[in-house]
Amino acid sequence: MSQITPNNNNIATEQLSCNDNPAFEEAQETENTAVREPRLWHDKGWTARVIKNDDDEGWAVAMLKDGEPEPALVGPWTMGRDKKNPKPLDTNAFNTLVKTASEVIRRHEQQLHAQLNKSLMVSTDDADYKILLTIVPDEDDPYAYLSAEDATGELIAKVKVTPNFKLNRQNALRWIENEFRRPD
């Protein structure tokens, strides 16, 4: 069960659990089963649910990827012609929402990868090196690997370091000068 809480735009505070909706439960059990209701769509591994904003008279849509506990995307939803009820979901809107939510997830994964993987190029009188720091975010015992590659991309050294090891030019040069022994 997931709950949407107000974000910076004060959009929606409503339970995303649809346990009271038999069509939703059926769709969750059979991934290939499509549900196409005015306020609930499930297809292509995604569920779109139109929900009422608690803070105002508007509506929001939440996109939840199958198997994920939290929505990938929550955003405002268009009012219908009667200016009271939401516009019903349709194929084009759902496909656009899937594309947008997938892009949000992709950007999040890229950002996480960038935070966990750092590299820099270092030149010495002897050779050029690519120095890499790869952080492994284990909940109980996080750690990192410091590695060096030569100009051809061949791995020449790899040591385990603390996850807070600061990868910068000075530390990389010191590591090279110490013949790639594990830093203190």
Side-chain angles (χ1 to χ4, degrees), residues 37-56:
E37 297 177 2
R39 295 186 190 176
L40 177 69
W41 276 51
H42 178 85
D43 200 4
K44 303 177 185 177
W46 288 92
T47 300
R49 180 158 185 228
V50 178
I51 52 180
K52 180 84 172 115
N53 275 341
D54 289 343
D55 295 339
D56 63 22

Side-chain angles (χ1 to χ4, degrees), residues 1-166:
M1 180 182 314
S2 182
Q3 181 171 354
I4 298 175
T5 55
N7 61 18
N8 293 340
N9 298 327
N10 290 325
I11 298 174
T13 57
E14 181 176 322
Q15 294 292 327
L16 277 182
S17 174
C18 299
N19 294 336
D20 57 337
N21 186 328
F24 181 82
E25 288 177 353
E26 195 174 300
Q28 292 292 68
E29 291 171 11
T30 308
E31 188 174 317
N32 295 332
T33 302
V35 174
R36 292 189 173 99
E37 297 177 2
R39 295 186 190 176
L40 177 69
W41 276 51
H42 178 85
D43 200 4
K44 303 177 185 177
W46 288 92
T47 300
R49 180 158 185 228
V50 178
I51 52 180
K52 180 84 172 115
N53 275 341
D54 289 343
D55 295 339
D56 63 22
E57 308 235 348
W59 294 86
V61 63
M63 289 298 294
L64 187 67
K65 188 171 183 171
D66 285 356
E68 293 296 321
E70 298 293 327
L73 175 71
V74 177
W77 188 244
T78 307
M79 297 288 276
R81 289 182 184 206
D82 65 2
K83 303 294 183 208
K84 293 179 184 174
N85 294 306
K87 179 181 170 185
L89 287 163
D90 61 26
T91 301
N92 290 336
F94 182 77
N95 289 339
T96 300
L97 288 165
V98 167
K99 182 178 178 183
T100 303
S102 296
E103 182 65 20
V104 167
I105 289 174
R106 188 181 70 75
R107 279 193 229 132
H108 175 74
E109 288 169 350
Q110 286 176 334
Q111 179 185 12
L112 182 60
H113 183 269
Q115 288 175 340
L116 298 176
N117 298 278
K118 301 186 184 313
S119 68
L120 60 90
M121 297 299 294
V122 178
S123 294
T124 66
D125 292 337
D126 299 328
D128 294 333
Y129 300 98
K130 182 176 183 181
I131 309 298
L132 302 105
L133 180 67
T134 305
I135 299 171
V136 180
D138 186 285
E139 284 186 32
D140 297 327
D141 188 25
Y143 57 94
Y145 286 110
L146 183 63
S147 58
E149 297 176 355
D150 64 14
T152 66
E154 185 176 331
L155 182 67
I156 56 175
K158 184 174 182 178
V159 295
K160 192 173 183 179
V161 294
T162 61
N164 61 349
F165 180 84
K166 183 143 182 110

